[in-house]
Amino acid sequence: MTHESMRPPGDWSAVTPERWSRGWRRLVLAAGMLVFPLVTAAGIPEYSHGADAVAGYLIVAGFCCCCALAGASAARLAWLPFWLMLGAMGALFLAALPFARTDAFFLCAVIVSMAAVFVRRYVALTVAACALASLVVPCLVHSWHDGPGWGQALAIVFTSLTVYAFSEIARANRSLVEARAEVARLASEAERARIARDLHDLLGHSLTAITVKSALARRLAAGEGSRALPEITEVETLTRQALADVRAAVSGYREVTLVNELARGRELLRASGVTADLPTATDLVDASHQELFGWVVREGLTNVARHARASRCTVTLSALEVEVRDDGVGSSAPYGNGLSGLRERVAAAGGRVEAGPVSPRGWRLRVSLEETVAALP
């Protein structure tokens, strides 16, 4: 049994805006549009008989099929089939005019309502033109002996407005869901930062003080030949290990981000005497890749500071690629644990790592992602 099935029927907290706009209520609204073809079919016997009536029913049935296919195409974001089906619906509407006459404009209400969701810029103009046509065309075709289609005009206007309003609500709900997710992410980051800060402030200072005092006591005991020397040495060792564990825990709580790693890397290179040529903006990198690129920058700049003996280091960013290059001595040594771990992270993201010396001197670490990976939600 899932958690969903265990919720009580009246638990409205389980109904998120995203589920409301994409769930069965949306299907009900789409199914409700089929009322208009039924009204058109009901009016065919009044104007057509025999073979003409059968032709009219077939046209309406074809219209319903195209309407269903257009809805399915829109749900899959297959826009070319959607517009083809909408065009076919328009042709079937025109074909139904001789058989259903004024009632055929109920089909027009369906077409305009579906188009209003996706052609927002021309909604008012399209609705007004179609409503006006339902009033004028029956008067111009004298053989119909019909007056203006007021009911059809009202159906076109109010149905289009209803569907358009629903689409705006759905769009606002999707934005609300995204905003909620962003707020939750920021709250999680703030909590992680608070825990890391508190852990460092509460334990880091105390352990550091214990380590310093233990070292002092060891030196004093060594000078006096005290038997306490081994014990004091062990206390120092234990406190140093505890301090290292606290720092490791703090670094685990502090989430890796590209912006933070560039800022830290700039200070690291400055302290190492390396001229840093680092980007100041990271907006061109997708949010889903910021953490991975942060790991790349951390690994690359750490290696530059430790091993490269370089005078200059450059970091280059693009939407799908990050590169760390220095002008140091390079190295032919085997990959360390840091680079091996980075390779695993990049491989899990579907990218590739290139690391090695460059001509005439220096070292380059480059990570690139495939376009298909970047396009994923």
Side-chain angles (χ1 to χ4, degrees), residues 14-54:
V15 181
T16 64
E18 187 73 4
R19 289 183 57 207
W20 197 98
S21 63
R22 292 182 178 272
W24 61 269
R25 294 168 178 83
R26 188 172 186 175
L27 296 178
V28 169
L29 181 65
M33 300 296 293
L34 296 178
V35 170
F36 294 108
L38 295 178
V39 173
T40 301
I44 289 177
E46 183 179 351
Y47 308 108
S48 304
H49 307 280
D52 290 343
V54 173

Side-chain angles (χ1 to χ4, degrees), residues 13-276:
S13 64
V15 181
T16 64
E18 187 73 4
R19 289 183 57 207
W20 197 98
S21 63
R22 292 182 178 272
W24 61 269
R25 294 168 178 83
R26 188 172 186 175
L27 296 178
V28 169
L29 181 65
M33 300 296 293
L34 296 178
V35 170
F36 294 108
L38 295 178
V39 173
T40 301
I44 289 177
E46 183 179 351
Y47 308 108
S48 304
H49 307 280
D52 290 343
V54 173
Y57 291 136
L58 291 176
I59 291 173
V60 172
F63 184 92
C64 293
C65 293
C66 291
C67 181
L69 292 174
S73 299
R76 300 194 312 269
L77 302 182
W79 300 119
L80 180 58
F82 169 79
W83 290 112
L84 290 176
M85 289 299 102
L86 203 64
M89 291 166 63
L92 291 171
F93 155 67
L94 295 176
L97 285 173
F99 304 101
R101 298 187 182 181
T102 307
D103 287 339
F105 280 94
F106 285 115
L107 302 180
C108 186
V110 179
I111 299 172
V112 175
S113 299
M114 296 186 70
V117 178
F118 305 102
V119 192
R120 302 167 60 194
R121 186 175 181 180
Y122 305 103
V123 169
L125 181 61
T126 303
V127 171
C130 293
L132 182 63
S134 67
L135 298 175
V136 174
V137 171
C139 298
L140 295 179
V141 182
H142 299 290
S143 60
W144 287 7
H145 304 291
D146 288 340
W150 292 106
Q152 291 78 1
L154 290 176
I156 291 172
V157 172
F158 286 105
T159 304
S160 301
L161 290 178
T162 300
V163 174
Y164 180 77
F166 181 86
S167 68
E168 289 298 305
I169 292 174
R171 188 175 290 108
N173 285 341
R174 287 193 292 271
S175 299
L176 178 60
V177 170
E178 294 173 357
R180 285 180 175 177
E182 181 66 14
V183 169
R185 186 185 67 81
L186 293 176
S188 176
E189 290 182 357
E191 181 64 13
R192 290 165 65 94
R194 185 191 67 80
I195 294 173
R197 183 178 62 253
D198 292 348
L199 184 61
H200 182 272
D201 293 343
L202 292 174
L203 296 180
H205 176 74
S206 299
L207 291 175
T208 300
I210 292 173
T211 302
V212 173
K213 290 182 179 296
S214 298
L216 176 59
R218 176 176 54 81
R219 289 196 297 271
L220 293 176
E224 298 175 0
S226 172
R227 294 173 57 188
L229 178 59
E231 300 297 330
I232 294 298
T233 302
E234 184 176 354
V235 170
E236 181 185 3
T237 302
L238 291 175
T239 53
R240 288 187 185 277
Q241 182 61 45
L243 183 59
D245 292 341
V246 169
R247 287 171 176 166
V250 169
S251 64
Y253 275 116
R254 290 172 177 167
E255 186 176 357
V256 173
T257 64
L258 181 57
V259 174
N260 290 342
E261 293 307 320
L262 287 173
R264 294 171 185 169
R266 186 174 285 104
E267 292 301 318
L268 176 64
L269 294 178
R270 182 187 61 79
S272 303
V274 179
T275 302

